[in-house]
Amino acid sequence: AVAVRGAGREIGLIELSAVEKFGTIEGIYTYGAPGTASQPLPNLQREDRCFGGLRSFNQDVLGPVTKEEDAAALSNQFSHARMPTIVLRKGTDSDYHPCLAPEALSPSSALSSLLSSSSSSSSSSSFSSSSSSFLLPQQKSFSWPDDKHGDEFADWTLHWENDYTPRLADVQVNGKDVSDQEPFHKAWQYVLAAYKTYDSTTHTVAQLHERVPNWRLVATETRIQGQGSLYDEDPVLLVQDTNTLDCGIVFTGTNNIDNELGTSLTNYGTGYCGFEEVHAGYRNELWDIAHDLFPRLRPKLSKCRKVDCVGHSLGGSLCEIFSACANSGRVDDPDFQNQMWIPETPELMEGITKGGVVYVDDAEHRCAEPPCPKVR
């Protein structure tokens, strides 16, 4: 039996063996996220081991062989979870790559032989043949972004919403506008929420209503630790589609270089939820956030019909690790228990106008409601 907390209180002991179904992640939507593990994290809920959703990173082609890319996508050489990927370009074709067989997903793998077969790609893709088969026959080989050969350069100006939003709104693949098809349309819907983790609850509510009126902010919980230059806020948002009752849990990216740079630089491999060689800094960040915020988020997650995970930059990396654990089914693992939730009858939740805060130890109380002003 495990003690489960919800809404800031103990809600009792739960016999894990008696739980028929735990919450899982349907799709992962990331924007400029660094890699997460030495080997691609799998979706153990599916036979093909692929997650739904879309990994996105921006790229500008400067010449025949020279490219600039979102710097965060180049920031480490860890692999990404098994999921579809799009290399977003402005005003021209983007490169879309459906989820491939496990052996094809490491940064150094050659993918041309796998991509040349539309039938094999269709069987391992996260999407039905009706939504993605037109993309497959013309696919070319795909290499993960790296700067080892001197022809790919990091550009932090490609890391922000003003590049991701218009590219996803007008995404083209093989000469076709696919912006109204999945997973591209949903990635465009979620990109706003991914960047609103850096903004106030008031602005988030207003901008969601303006751009994606069927989505509602139903939770914002922020973990705060440290003081002075080491003051750090880690908000997690929950948005709900008022039509389908599906939700997106949204992790924030790096919002304090002084404190969180160390998270990214703690880049040796460690264990998490039964997986090996997971990025230690991201693993530790996720564990702390789940431990302190999930007692508040768990009751609302339980009311979602399905749940996606969304994140920009570091937030996207947290999503990959969180999703792999949620879908692992390893109910006896302490990491799983730390972040798990139990689905109930789906329910339309009320929108919020103010978020909650959890202060860790002697954390500075800087303002009434985060995000608080930066102090140098």
Side-chain angles (χ1 to χ4, degrees):
V2 232
V4 176
R5 292 183 298 152
R9 68 189 190 281
E10 292 283 345
I11 59 176
L13 292 174
I14 289 182
E15 287 289 347
L16 297 181
S17 60
V19 177
E20 293 184 4
K21 182 180 180 182
F22 290 91
T24 58
I25 294 299
E26 187 77 8
I28 306 173
Y29 294 83
T30 71
Y31 311 88
T36 52
S38 294
Q39 296 298 317
L41 293 169
N43 179 1
L44 296 182
Q45 293 291 312
R46 285 178 39 159
E47 187 175 343
D48 63 6
R49 300 301 188 244
C50 293
F51 289 96
L54 189 67
R55 174 195 170 214
S56 307
F57 67 91
N58 288 327
Q59 181 187 85
D60 285 345
V61 178
L62 306 181
V65 296
T66 309
K67 307 175 184 69
E68 284 184 337
E69 286 154 343
D70 183 333
L74 290 165
S75 62
N76 69 43
Q77 286 300 303
F78 281 91
S79 296
H80 285 271
R82 294 174 184 165
M83 59 187 296
T85 298
I86 191 163
V87 186
L88 290 170
R89 302 193 183 108
K90 188 188 328 185
T92 187
D93 267 4
S94 296
D95 273 352
Y96 169 65
H97 304 271
C99 183
L100 301 172
E103 65 271 15
L105 282 168
S106 67
S108 60
S109 296
L111 309 185
S112 55
S113 61
L114 289 163
L115 288 167
S116 64
S117 169
S118 62
S119 59
S120 63
S121 294
S122 295
S123 65
S124 63
S125 171
S126 294
F127 317 110
S128 65
S129 59
S130 62
S131 66
S132 60
S133 60
F134 74 96
L135 300 170
L136 301 176
Q138 301 179 48
Q139 286 295 337
K140 301 174 183 177
S141 62
F142 175 55
S143 61
W144 294 92
D146 67 68
D147 51 6
K148 293 185 294 188
H149 304 295
D151 56 358
E152 299 182 42
F153 301 95
D155 185 350
W156 284 107
T157 67
L158 295 176
H159 194 51
W160 307 110
E161 183 183 3
N162 61 347
D163 264 304
Y164 277 97
T165 297
R167 293 182 192 217
L168 284 166
D170 190 32
V171 64
Q172 300 177 54
V173 177
N174 294 334
K176 298 179 182 291
D177 181 351
V178 295
S179 58
D180 61 346
Q181 300 188 36
E182 299 300 351
F184 314 106
H185 180 64
K186 202 168 191 181
W188 173 82
Q189 289 184 308
Y190 275 142
V191 71
L192 176 64
Y195 284 91
K196 287 296 104 179
T197 57
Y198 307 108
D199 207 347
S200 68
T201 298
T202 301
H203 289 164
T204 301
V205 170
Q207 291 180 32
L208 282 173
H209 178 73
E210 178 182 348
R211 191 191 300 180
V212 282
N214 57 305
W215 285 94
R216 173 184 293 176
L217 181 66
V218 297
T220 297
E221 299 292 342
T222 303
R223 179 184 188 271
I224 296 180
Q225 67 175 8
Q227 302 182 23
S229 64
L230 295 181
Y231 173 88
D232 181 35
E233 300 172 351
D234 292 313
V236 178
L237 278 56
L238 188 67
V239 294
Q240 185 179 42
D241 186 327
T242 57
N243 297 326
T244 66
L245 306 185
D246 294 345
C247 297
I249 184 170
V250 192
F251 290 94
T252 193
T254 300
N255 54 15
N256 184 343
I257 295 296
D258 290 323
N259 201 31
E260 291 188 327
L261 183 60
T263 298
S264 294
L265 294 180
T266 308
N267 58 0
Y268 58 87
T270 190
Y272 186 74
C273 210
F275 299 105
E276 299 179 351
E277 296 298 312
V278 176
H279 188 292
Y282 302 155
R283 178 262 177 223
N284 295 340
E285 181 92 350
L286 175 61
W287 198 95
D288 288 340
I289 289 171
H291 178 267
D292 292 325
L293 296 187
F294 264 60
R296 294 166 173 249
L297 292 167
R298 193 170 278 125
K300 292 189 175 182
L301 278 167
S302 296
K303 297 176 182 178
C304 301
R305 190 179 73 96
K306 295 180 181 178
V307 180
D308 294 320
C309 195
V310 180
H312 165 248
S313 197
L314 165 65
S317 303
L318 297 181
C319 265
E320 291 190 14
I321 301 170
F322 172 80
S323 301
C325 185
N327 290 16
S328 70
R330 292 168 177 160
V331 299
D332 294 325
D333 191 293
D335 297 327
F336 181 93
Q337 296 169 7
N338 188 48
Q339 63 163 69
M340 66 88 171
W341 72 98
I342 300 171
E344 299 173 356
T345 302
E347 179 182 323
L348 180 62
M349 291 177 271
E350 294 292 329
I352 64 165
T353 57
K354 185 176 181 178
V357 180
V358 174
Y359 292 95
V360 178
D361 299 328
D362 58 349
E364 178 183 344
H365 291 229
R366 181 169 289 183
C367 68
E369 184 181 3
C372 300
K374 304 292 183 186
V375 176
R376 300 295 298 182

